[in-house]
Amino acid sequence: LDYVHIMTYDGNNTGIATHHTKPYGSGYSAENAIKLYLDAGVRPEKLVIGAAFYGKISELTTPQSADNSVLGKPVISTTTIRYTNIYKDYLSNSEYQECYDSSTGAYFLTNGKYFITYDNPLSIQSKVELVEKYNLGGMMFWDYGSDETGSLLKAVYNGIEGLNNN
């Protein structure tokens, strides 16, 4: 094989508010996926990890505080949402709070009624750091058309370019 592309996203299909794309932490994470492949004997330079240029929006079954307390709560009606829409409609919406989960390196938005999990430039930088830490072959993403802002592509490019210049 030339490369093994690990889809380190779409890890949230549990019916609870959790991250669909997280760099670290228990369960499904980019780092745990990397370790599985390395332990199976795949050479690190053959591994390419993924970033999501889209998110998942879910309605919480019971409204919560708009903070980290939404994590682990039951959700219904999970739908895919483009990063462009997250950026335009939610990041600038004062009803929503952007939260950071330090145990996973992942970000999410919530207003207490809805939970939005997604990659942002900072979580992508954490994945770039995994590329460096494990000497991986690089990064990929899905899907280009879901980030009309260009900020996620720029984060991938600048991060990997920075590694190449070291």
Side-chain angles (χ1 to χ4, degrees):
L1 297 174
D2 292 325
Y3 295 99
V4 175
H5 293 129
I6 307 174
M7 193 176 86
T8 51
Y9 42 84
D10 274 350
N12 176 17
N13 297 310
T14 60
I16 62 169
T18 189
H19 311 289
H20 92 99
T21 178
K22 62 183 180 181
Y24 315 104
S26 62
Y28 187 82
S29 71
E31 187 167 41
N32 286 344
I34 292 164
K35 289 177 181 179
L36 283 172
Y37 280 87
L38 293 175
D39 289 348
V42 177
R43 295 193 328 254
E45 68 273 11
K46 296 289 187 179
L47 291 178
V48 175
I49 61 171
F53 284 16
Y54 64 94
K56 301 284 185 170
I57 183 170
S58 303
E59 183 177 353
L60 294 156
T61 57
T62 305
Q64 305 290 319
S65 299
D67 58 25
N68 282 8
S69 67
V70 302
L71 290 171
K73 302 296 190 235
V75 297
I76 54 175
S77 67
T78 299
T79 306
T80 300
I81 182 171
R82 299 172 56 222
Y83 181 77
T84 301
N85 296 96
I86 293 169
Y87 184 84
K88 287 180 182 177
D89 300 332
Y90 297 95
L91 282 169
S92 62
N93 184 334
S94 63
E95 292 180 22
Y96 283 82
Q97 177 180 343
E98 185 175 42
C99 300
Y100 175 68
D101 179 1
S102 61
S103 69
T104 63
Y107 291 79
F108 64 92
L109 287 163
T110 186
N111 66 353
K113 182 177 180 183
Y114 292 96
F115 174 82
I116 305 170
T117 172
Y118 61 100
D119 263 333
N120 69 6
L122 295 171
S123 65
I124 288 174
Q125 181 57 41
S126 293
K127 289 181 178 183
V128 168
E129 291 166 7
L130 290 171
V131 170
E132 180 178 39
K133 177 179 179 179
Y134 291 99
N135 297 308
L136 304 182
M139 286 186 71
M140 59 137 183
F141 54 86
W142 185 266
D143 105 87
Y144 181 72
S146 291
D147 177 24
E148 294 173 16
T149 73
S151 60
L152 300 182
L153 181 60
K154 185 176 181 178
V156 171
Y157 175 81
N158 288 341
I160 296 299
E161 185 68 15
L163 296 180
N164 291 335
N165 289 331
N166 288 337

